[in-house]
Amino acid sequence: MTMILKNGIDQAALITKFTDASARQGETIRKAVHEATLKALQGRELTLANIRQVLGTVTKAASAGAEGSKLPAPDVQALLAKAFAGMDGALEQAVLANQRALQQLVDQGVSLRETQLKKALADIEKMEDTLFASVRKAAPMDGPWSGVFQALQGKGTGTGARATAALEQLMEDTHKNLRDGRALSLRATQAMLDSYATLASGVLIGMSEALKQGGAASGRTPSGSH
């Protein structure tokens, strides 16, 4: 049978994993969702529009698999919470990739006041909201997802924590560069800004090998969804 990919994701494989999962396979689900989401993000530029598409596709696959599960509702809810944790862990890596790409520019004297970098910073700030909004939009309004969102209410995510830390570090380094009088010429700055989205994507791809070796450590679950 031909494998059909949507947004770089094998939805059928994810649906089957959910449908066949036992109540004790939450960590297996988290890892599968984490890897599928991360792989899909690595295959495109890290724009918010692309991130929304990937998260929506994964959520729909998880929802379809949950519908076919024969487990009791509380167990299905627990598996969906693990799926959310997997998406959160992958998006946390996307935040880190954006931070590292921005850091390369900042280290070479590009100002965060530049329009394109201001947008990149704003996108990092929106990552956690994008995670919640994308999953809510793609998930059924009722059923086990409602319990997942209720449990997450008021609790932070790894994506949100990573985004906050990234913004603080980048602002601190930018201020240091200003104090040191380090700045690039307008032409050099523009050339680097034009390649920013590609740079961030390349950083995420370059991180993949390290993630394979230490994925468990790098993909934290959001608080309250263990």
Side-chain angles (χ1 to χ4, degrees):
M1 187 172 68
T2 306
M3 180 174 65
I4 299 174
L5 298 179
K6 182 175 180 183
N7 293 319
I9 296 157
D10 183 357
Q11 288 178 292
L14 275 181
I15 290 169
T16 301
K17 273 193 182 296
F18 264 92
T19 305
D20 296 346
S22 71
R24 295 182 179 181
Q25 288 181 305
E27 189 58 18
T28 302
I29 290 293
R30 186 196 69 76
K31 286 180 179 176
V33 169
H34 181 274
E35 287 168 12
T37 307
L38 190 60
K39 187 176 179 183
L41 291 174
Q42 288 170 337
R44 66 205 64 224
E45 288 190 346
L46 286 177
T47 63
L48 286 182
N50 283 337
I51 288 168
R52 287 188 196 102
Q53 286 180 347
V54 168
L55 294 174
T57 301
V58 173
T59 301
K60 285 174 183 174
S63 302
E67 271 185 41
S69 173
K70 294 180 173 59
L71 294 173
D75 291 337
V76 173
Q77 182 180 315
L79 289 179
L80 287 174
K82 287 294 188 181
F84 184 91
M87 287 185 273
D88 179 29
L91 198 53
E92 188 180 345
Q93 294 303 314
V95 171
L96 184 57
N98 270 286
Q99 180 186 358
R100 288 183 179 176
L102 281 167
Q103 191 71 52
Q104 289 181 40
L105 301 183
V106 168
D107 288 348
Q108 294 178 66
V110 180
S111 169
L112 290 179
R113 292 194 180 97
E114 296 290 344
T115 304
Q116 282 143 298
L117 290 205
K118 280 165 79 173
K119 182 185 181 304
L121 287 173
D123 285 353
I124 289 176
E125 201 168 5
K126 292 173 189 169
M127 287 287 195
E128 185 176 54
D129 288 343
T130 299
L131 171 62
F132 278 112
S134 301
V135 176
R136 281 184 188 277
K137 184 177 179 182
M141 295 295 289
D142 51 8
W145 270 116
S146 59
V148 175
F149 292 130
Q150 199 169 1
L152 288 165
Q153 195 74 33
K155 292 178 179 174
T157 63
T159 297
R162 177 71 73 182
T164 300
L167 293 171
E168 287 174 356
Q169 186 63 54
L170 288 163
M171 294 306 291
E172 184 182 320
D173 291 343
T174 300
H175 290 148
K176 183 177 184 301
N177 284 347
L178 288 173
R179 287 197 305 271
D180 295 346
R182 188 189 305 169
L184 283 178
S185 70
L186 186 60
R187 182 177 295 179
T189 295
Q190 194 56 49
M192 296 183 78
L193 290 174
D194 288 345
S195 64
Y196 172 73
T198 306
L199 177 62
S201 300
V203 170
L204 187 62
I205 292 167
M207 287 162 58
S208 62
E209 286 308 312
L211 287 170
K212 284 175 189 171
Q213 292 166 18
S218 59
R220 296 175 323 199
T221 57
S223 20
S225 53
H226 294 291

